Amino acid sequence: MSPERRDPELPRGVALAWGVAANPQRGPKRELSIERIVDTAIEIADAEGIGAVSMSRVAASLGFTTMSLYRYVTSKDDLILLMQEGAATLPVPDESVEREWRAGISAWVRAMRATYREHPWLVDIPISGAPITPNSLLIVDWFLREVRALPLSDGEKMSALLLLTSYARATGAQERDLGVAAAAAADPADVTGANYFEALAELVTPERFPYLSPLLAAGGYVAEPGTGPDESDDDFSFGLERILDGIEYHVGRVESGAPVDARVEEPLPPTLELPRDKQVREAAKARREAEKALREAQKREREAIKHALEREKNAAEREKNAREKAERAKKA
């Protein structure tokens, strides 16, 4: 006789998210609830970041003791999971919405981005496994709806989801970090780099940075003052469109019957041939040696300046010590 099979058990936090956890042992104040606890924790995180969230802080904000919270949420990890679940409420479109797959995926990714903008602390929660809570699975389900007509395997669809999720998360973290840095800076142009443009333009020479220097000279490297979330849309859209181009290219290969696992046979670039003229080779060699000598001279200059500053510092300390000694001698 085979042993009796038990129903699989979900972790406490996941069971709470699904609403299938055992009822908490409520205390005398029944107005406390999991929903109020999670909403309060999200408000704290939105205002001060995920680091400000603790069981005691949430309890104090609600006017209860910390032990009262533990009757509902048994650990901070469970609270963080429920916060993540509560914040991940994307506006899933109605089934009647029909559009081609690129537009559908774009709407999905931009909804993810909007969530990261509304709750920037989400990017600080480590990824600990596959999504298994209701809202996170609704996000997956929405994506699969948008790619349902593509001739991709289930694994390829999930790989595309992972790629686009990673892009939304990474750009959300970058935008959040730049926003925090700009808010903390005395001048936002310090963050964009605009205040250092002239200094960089002198240091980034064509000899040392042959490909970067023209871009810097044209003003395409350092952002203009006032760059903010609206101005970052162009960069975000560019990256998103290139990802979609890659998916579209892969779909085209699948539809054409071309082998998708093999690398595309592209013609190799022509081999770079060194100039055969002796004078040209010698001139190139002389240039490399001159650049090396310049770097060594700059290094020696930096070291000389460093030593000079150290000597000045030591001389100032000796002078200070001498004055203090003389003053002590007078007092004696």
Side-chain angles (χ1 to χ4, degrees):
M1 182 175 179
S2 60
E4 182 181 354
R5 293 186 59 185
R6 297 181 60 188
D7 292 334
E9 295 183 359
L10 294 171
R12 171 70 178 175
V14 177
L16 286 171
W18 281 99
V20 296
N23 291 330
Q25 297 177 354
R26 289 185 170 83
K29 298 181 178 180
R30 295 179 180 272
E31 64 269 23
L32 189 60
S33 66
I34 292 175
E35 291 74 16
R36 284 193 64 198
I37 293 170
V38 173
D39 289 345
T40 300
I42 289 176
E43 289 175 3
I44 294 172
D46 287 345
E48 304 177 43
I50 194 70
V53 176
S54 66
M55 298 294 278
S56 58
R57 174 70 185 280
V58 175
S61 299
L62 288 167
F64 289 88
T65 65
T66 304
M67 289 307 299
S68 298
L69 262 63
Y70 282 108
R71 296 191 182 101
Y72 295 81
V73 182
T74 55
S75 70
K76 182 181 176 181
D77 288 342
D78 287 349
L79 176 60
I80 297 298
L81 184 146
L82 293 171
M83 291 171 60
Q84 189 174 20
E85 174 72 0
T89 53
L90 272 61
V92 179
D94 186 83
E95 286 284 354
S96 62
V97 176
E98 292 289 342
R99 53 193 167 194
E100 59 95 21
W101 67 267
R102 285 186 69 124
I105 292 180
S106 293
W108 182 86
V109 176
R110 291 185 182 280
M112 294 276 289
R113 187 190 191 202
T115 299
Y116 285 127
R117 281 181 164 181
E118 184 177 1
H119 307 290
W121 47 270
L122 282 170
V123 301
D124 293 324
I125 300 177
I127 298 173
S128 57
I132 55 175
T133 54
N135 284 342
S136 62
L137 290 177
L138 281 174
I139 294 172
V140 175
D141 188 72
W142 176 10
F143 179 86
L144 294 176
R145 184 210 305 183
E146 301 297 350
V147 298
R148 65 189 183 280
L150 296 183
L152 302 178
S153 67
D154 292 343
E156 289 173 326
K157 291 176 180 178
M158 293 304 293
S159 293
L161 180 147
L162 177 61
L163 172 63
L164 289 156
T165 301
S166 300
Y167 179 67
R169 181 183 176 93
T171 53
Q174 181 183 57
E175 185 176 300
R176 188 278 308 271
D177 291 346
L178 288 174
V180 170
D187 184 353
D190 289 343
V191 178
T192 64
N195 285 344
Y196 314 121
F197 178 80
E198 293 183 3
L200 283 176
E202 293 185 6
L203 296 171
V204 180
T205 61
E207 292 77 18
R208 190 172 184 183
F209 303 95
Y211 306 103
L212 173 60
S213 58
L215 186 146
L216 188 69
Y221 182 73
V222 178
E224 297 180 0
T227 298
D230 293 338
E231 288 80 359
S232 68
D233 284 343
D234 289 343
D235 292 336
F236 179 84
S237 296
F238 178 84
L240 175 58
E241 290 301 318
R242 300 297 73 76
I243 293 174
L244 296 180
D245 286 346
I247 295 174
E248 185 169 3
Y249 177 79
H250 177 72
V251 168
R253 288 180 60 78
V254 172
E255 291 177 335
S256 68
V260 296
D261 293 331
R263 291 187 176 182
V264 181
E265 296 296 332
E266 298 287 353
L268 295 174
T271 304
L272 178 64
E273 295 185 1
L274 296 176
R276 298 183 179 181
D277 186 275
K278 182 178 179 181
Q279 291 183 343
V280 174
R281 292 200 307 272
E282 291 178 349
K285 180 181 178 181
R287 177 182 175 181
R288 290 194 297 271
E289 292 175 348
E291 291 176 349
K292 180 180 178 181
L294 175 61
R295 289 194 297 270
E296 292 175 349
Q298 290 173 337
K299 180 179 178 181
R300 290 193 297 271
E301 180 184 12
R302 290 193 297 269
E303 291 176 349
I305 293 173
K306 179 181 177 181
H307 294 325
L309 292 174
E310 289 177 352
R311 287 195 298 271
E312 290 180 3
K313 180 180 178 180
N314 293 334
E317 289 179 354
R318 288 195 298 270
E319 183 179 353
K320 178 182 178 182
N321 292 335
R323 287 197 305 270
E324 292 176 350
K325 185 177 180 180
E327 291 176 358
R328 287 196 298 269
K330 288 180 182 180
K331 292 180 180 178

